[in-house]
Amino acid sequence: MSEASENRLGFSSVERVLDILLMFAAPGATGNAQSIAEAFGTSRSSTYRYLQVLRSRGLIEEVGSSGDYRISAGFAHMVSASVEGISPTAAAEPVVAQLARTVGETTLFTVRVGDRVQCATYTESPKAIRVGIDPVRETPIHIGSSAKTHFAFLPERERRRILSAIEGAARTKDERRICAELAKQLEGIHASKVARSCGEIEDGVISLSVPVFLPSGALAGVLTIAAPTFRMKSLDGLLSKLQEAAREIELTLAGSRNARAEAVRLINERAP
């Protein structure tokens, strides 16, 4: 069925995208382009486009190499967090503010949205000369310490997909070399759980990032300190404080989950 035919039947593209997303909401649900096209009576080309819309926004992800899709871990955990009454951003906000006061440098917490990384909450350095937040409000997933940390902890297939797209866009020898180095950097970040950057997003700025995990082990976000290079040649002296702050966010997220579970248990015990 063509898209024009679908629209004549009264189904808009937005409605179809939402219908497909709701289909994936069932526990353990998966689907591929062919099964979804058959289920909704859509053309193959339209179905691929709908799936790409959902995938590019981080709502679904591919399952292995089968061509099937499922709800993405990040989206599932975001929904779960909202149900439990606290989100990673809400848990991070007071920690980010306190860390910025402690270290005296700009501190931020980022989340991934599709193939990009967005600043969810931040506190700028109280010093007159400081790193501003504007350049990192939203960045590609392969530039800067925060974004690369998100990149490093993507599911392997998704990481390979983005790496292939970056490599495919490389036109010069230097660009291809940078792509090869990026793959090695991601392996190192995944192993060490630390990422460093200097001048990638803004000249004269260094940054240090660590991952923050949900109780399930999935990535909740990334915590970062950024400073001007004239003041600090390395941020490694602040690494322990950064890691302690990340752990504090993780404990808050775990505590919220445990508190809710305990409340449910008590309610069930009191039930007649």
Side-chain angles (χ1 to χ4, degrees):
M1 182 183 294
S2 68
E3 184 173 4
S5 298
E6 294 166 28
N7 289 339
R8 281 199 297 273
L9 291 175
F11 300 109
S12 70
S13 295
V14 172
E15 288 173 320
R16 279 304 187 208
V17 169
L18 290 175
D19 285 341
I20 292 170
L21 181 60
L22 289 172
M23 182 205 77
F24 285 115
T30 62
N32 55 40
Q34 180 176 343
S35 65
I36 292 169
E38 291 174 354
F40 291 100
T42 54
S43 66
R44 184 70 68 87
S45 60
S46 294
T47 303
Y48 275 119
R49 188 168 66 255
Y50 300 151
L51 290 171
Q52 180 57 33
V53 167
L54 293 170
R55 188 173 73 172
S56 67
R57 285 156 179 79
L59 302 178
I60 63 173
E61 61 190 13
E62 287 190 72
V63 183
S65 57
S66 64
D68 286 344
Y69 293 86
R70 66 186 175 197
I71 284 285
S72 71
F75 182 56
H77 288 301
M78 180 181 71
V79 173
S80 175
S82 68
V83 171
E84 292 181 6
I86 188 166
S87 68
T89 299
E93 191 168 5
V95 178
V96 166
Q98 180 58 50
L99 182 60
R101 288 192 293 269
T102 300
V103 303
E105 300 295 350
T106 296
T107 304
L108 56 146
F109 180 78
T110 60
V111 296
R112 180 174 69 93
V113 179
D115 292 352
R116 300 187 70 81
V117 169
Q118 295 180 350
C119 178
T121 185
Y122 70 92
T123 298
E124 290 189 353
S125 167
K127 298 173 182 176
I129 301 177
R130 58 183 179 268
V131 175
I133 205 66
D134 284 342
V136 292
R137 285 190 187 276
E138 182 174 307
T139 63
I141 200 167
H142 63 289
I143 299 177
S145 65
S146 177
K148 286 178 180 176
T149 304
H150 282 278
F151 201 168
F153 286 92
L154 283 176
E156 184 178 357
R157 183 174 177 83
E158 191 71 0
R159 189 168 65 249
R160 287 180 178 176
R161 177 186 69 81
I162 298 174
L163 276 171
S164 294
I166 295 170
E167 290 167 359
R171 294 291 179 265
T172 68
K173 185 176 180 179
D174 278 347
E175 288 175 344
R176 288 190 289 272
R177 175 184 56 77
I178 291 171
C179 287
E181 291 175 353
L182 175 60
K184 292 180 180 179
Q185 286 178 3
L186 297 178
E187 291 177 4
I189 292 168
H190 191 277
S192 67
K193 295 182 175 62
V194 178
R196 300 169 179 82
S197 177
C198 182
E200 282 188 83
I201 296 176
E202 189 175 11
D203 288 341
V205 172
I206 56 172
S207 62
L208 184 68
S209 300
V210 297
V212 176
F213 296 102
L214 291 161
S216 65
L219 189 69
V222 174
L223 189 62
T224 299
I225 297 173
T229 53
F230 80 85
R231 188 156 59 231
M232 301 186 75
K233 298 301 181 185
S234 170
L235 292 172
D236 283 2
L238 302 179
L239 179 58
S240 62
K241 294 185 183 299
L242 186 62
Q243 290 171 327
E244 288 169 8
R247 177 60 177 159
E248 185 176 346
I249 298 170
E250 291 171 350
L251 289 173
T252 299
L253 292 169
S256 171
R257 182 177 180 177
N258 293 338
R260 182 174 183 272
E262 179 65 10
V264 171
R265 185 186 66 79
L266 290 173
I267 289 170
N268 289 336
E269 285 182 354
R270 297 189 189 105

